């Protein structure tokens, strides 16, 4: 079983990435393979509502950028963690592109996300994290994905790179999320 963790921050080693590393470690300790991939800063665009994915039904988007590589990894995984920084009280533009295009391509191809376990991981300097957390979870619930939880919202308040390491409650939340997600993925995969 495998979970794909997507770093939606253009800061490759920033707090979002470091939070995802904590979740990935807990997943692997729970017996689930974890792969972190870098979305933030990549050449991806938002959905154009062209209908091409519905016409072709080939599990791909017709736009010619890097998104299809991410979609292929998502379709192959048993779970998906989307990590995002909080920009103006919402997700990064790359994460928004992923949400829209993954959701539309999934729906146009019979529900490719259905049954995969999902989780959001959010980093914020001060505020707005709840809106980013909700935006990611809207994708999961719309696409019939069970959502892993951690007993608290999966977020950290951390401004400077590395501040997540000082957030004991945030780190504990991410570890709990990884453990809970590993159990869900393994149980659902056994069915």
């Amino acid at each position: 079983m495998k979970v794909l963790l997507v770093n939606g921050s253009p800061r490759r080693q920033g707090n979002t990435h470091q939070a995802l590393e904590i979740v990935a470690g807990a997943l692997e300790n729970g017996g689930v393979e974890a792969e972190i991939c870098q979305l933030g800063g990549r050449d991806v665009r938002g959905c154009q509502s062209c209908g091409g994915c519905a016409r072709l039904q080939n599990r791909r988007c017709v736009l010619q950028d890097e998104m299809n590589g991410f979609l292929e990894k998502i379709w192959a995984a048993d779970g998906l963690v989307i990590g995002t920084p909080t920009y103006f009280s919402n997700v990064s533009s790359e994460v928004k592109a992923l949400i829209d295009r993954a959701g539309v391509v999934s729906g146009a191809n019979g529900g490719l996300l259905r049954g995969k376990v999902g989780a959001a991981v959010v980093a914020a300097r001060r505020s707005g994290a709840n809106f980013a957390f909700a935006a990611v979870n809207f994708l999961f619930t719309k696409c019939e994905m069970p959502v892993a939880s951690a007993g608290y919202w999966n977020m950290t308040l951390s401004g400077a790179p590395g501040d997540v390491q000082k957030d004991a409650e945030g780190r504990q939340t991410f570890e709990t999320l990884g453990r809970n997600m590993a159990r869900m993925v393994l149980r659902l995969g056994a069915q």
Side-chain angles (χ1 to χ4, degrees):
M1 305 304 287
K2 181 176 182 177
V3 171
L4 182 69
L5 299 94
V6 178
N7 181 15
S9 173
R11 295 182 178 175
R12 294 178 182 266
Q13 298 299 317
N15 291 309
T16 304
H17 179 80
Q18 292 176 42
L20 291 171
E21 286 180 323
I22 296 167
V23 177
L27 282 161
E28 290 177 348
N29 287 339
V32 174
E33 182 183 348
E35 177 189 351
I36 299 176
C37 66
Q38 181 64 38
L39 173 68
R42 303 294 292 270
D43 178 25
V44 294
R45 295 185 305 280
C47 179
Q48 303 297 303
S49 192
C50 67
C53 59
R55 281 191 305 279
L56 296 175
Q57 294 188 353
N58 63 357
R59 302 165 58 109
R60 300 176 59 81
C61 177
V62 298
L63 292 179
Q64 298 300 311
D65 62 8
E66 297 182 62
M67 186 63 76
N68 282 318
F70 290 98
L71 295 179
E72 289 172 14
K73 288 177 176 269
I74 291 169
W75 308 151
D78 303 293
L80 173 63
V81 178
I82 298 177
T84 185
T86 303
Y87 290 167
F88 288 90
S89 294
N90 215 318
V91 298
S92 68
S93 60
E94 295 92 340
V95 169
K96 180 59 174 152
L98 177 71
I99 288 170
D100 291 351
R101 289 173 66 187
V104 171
V105 173
S106 173
N109 287 271
L112 299 171
L113 290 170
R114 183 180 299 118
K116 295 180 186 297
V117 179
V121 166
V122 179
R125 184 191 64 80
R126 186 103 181 114
S127 64
N130 288 347
F131 297 106
F133 183 74
V136 175
N137 282 295
F138 289 148
L139 168 70
F140 299 150
T141 57
K142 165 68 172 86
C143 293
E144 300 179 53
M145 297 173 65
V147 177
S149 63
Y152 200 74
W153 298 281
N154 313 324
M155 57 185 68
T156 180
L157 294 178
S158 39
D163 279 355
V164 69
Q165 303 305 329
K166 301 173 193 170
D167 180 5
E169 186 176 4
R171 285 193 336 270
Q172 181 60 50
T173 298
F174 299 137
E175 289 170 6
T176 301
L177 174 64
R179 284 192 306 272
N180 289 345
M181 189 169 198
R183 283 193 295 271
M184 287 179 72
V185 168
L186 292 170
R187 286 181 183 161
L188 290 171
Q191 294 179 2

